[in-house]
């Protein structure tokens, strides 16, 4: 019989114990950097509210720092001048929104729908953020806002519609002024007459007008201004709005 005592038993290699992932501590923002960022954000927020009400020329730096609860000297740690914080506001407030409109329109092939979506979203944004809306009314045709951000996009979109023979506009610049000026006027009407708590809420009713569906009505009328037939303009103006997530960026 075979000698079982000398038989070797094959051993399976021992399995290594599962290694727990090493927790990597999140890098915490240094306290000084966080305070600096928060201070800058407070200054921008205060400047936006004040300049929306009184314009850049009507606001002093000490008003901004007082409203932001920041020391006067701290202002110059972030901005060289009142003009510098104004330029930052125009770029951040309008450029960020214009970028969002570009994302909304990226999937649209019809220049008319691109304009309708931009108009409706602009009026809706002002409805939900009245300070933003008032700042847009005041600065919408300023040199800086017209040459970049929303103004630049509007000129481009009208030009695209003309090139595609979708719009019939004899004078593109006047078309730009007509669209931009109408949107600003509608936002003013929204904030003064239509929005909850508006200072002159009863005026439209007294005049026999309705404030309902202003974004859609504005888009339809402006598409007719650009050359579309009324029935088609009204149909485009009530299509479901495309939605994209807005990216939140630190100031």
């Amino acid at each position: 019989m075979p000698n079982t005592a000398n038989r070797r038993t094959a051993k399976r290699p021992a399995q290594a114990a599962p290694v727990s992932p090493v927790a990597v501590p999140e890098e915490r923002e240094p306290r000084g950097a966080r305070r600096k960022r928060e201070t800058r954000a407070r200054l921008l927020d205060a400047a936006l509210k004040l300049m929306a009400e009184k314009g850049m020329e009507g606001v002093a730096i000490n008003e901004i720092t007082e409203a932001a609860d920041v020391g006067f000297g701290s202002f110059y740690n972030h901005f060289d001048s009142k003009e510098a914080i104004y330029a930052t506001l125009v770029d951040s407030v309008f450029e960020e929104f214009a970028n969002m409109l570009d994302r909304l329109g990226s999937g649209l092939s019809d220049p008319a729908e691109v304009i309708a979506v931009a108009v409706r979203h602009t009026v809706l944004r002002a409805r939900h953020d009245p300070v933003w809306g008032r700042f847009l009314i005041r600065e919408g045709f300023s040199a800086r806002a017209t040459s970049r951000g929303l103004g630049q996009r509007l000129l481009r979109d009208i030009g695209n519609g003309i090139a595609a023979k979708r719009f019939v506009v004899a004078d593109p610049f006047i078309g730009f002024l007509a669209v931009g000026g109408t949107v600003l006027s509608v936002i003013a009407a929204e904030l003064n007459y239509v929005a909850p708590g508006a200072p002159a809420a009863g005026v439209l009713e007294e005049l026999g007008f309705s404030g309902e569906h202003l974004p859609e009505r504005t888009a339809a009328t402006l598409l007719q201004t650009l050359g579309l037939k009324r029935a088609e303009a009204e149909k485009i103006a009530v299509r479901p709005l495309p939605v994209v997530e807005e990216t939140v960026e630190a100031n």
Side-chain angles (χ1 to χ4, degrees), residues 70-92:
V70 171
F72 182 83
S74 297
F75 178 91
Y76 294 98
N77 293 331
H78 302 273
F79 304 100
D80 294 332
S81 62
K82 181 176 67 173
E83 290 73 17
I85 194 171
Y86 164 79
T88 301
L89 277 178
V90 171
D91 287 347
S92 62

Side-chain angles (χ1 to χ4, degrees), residues 175-233:
F176 162 75
L177 294 178
V179 174
T182 300
V183 169
L184 296 182
S185 297
V186 168
I187 289 174
E190 172 75 36
L191 298 181
N192 290 325
Y193 309 136
V194 180
V203 170
L204 287 185
E205 187 175 351
E206 292 174 4
L207 295 173
F209 296 136
S210 169
E212 294 185 353
H213 310 298
L214 271 185
E216 293 78 15
R217 290 161 59 193
T218 305
T221 298
L222 289 175
L223 289 181
Q224 292 175 71
T225 299
L226 294 172
L228 273 69
K229 298 294 186 182
R230 177 178 175 180
E232 184 182 17

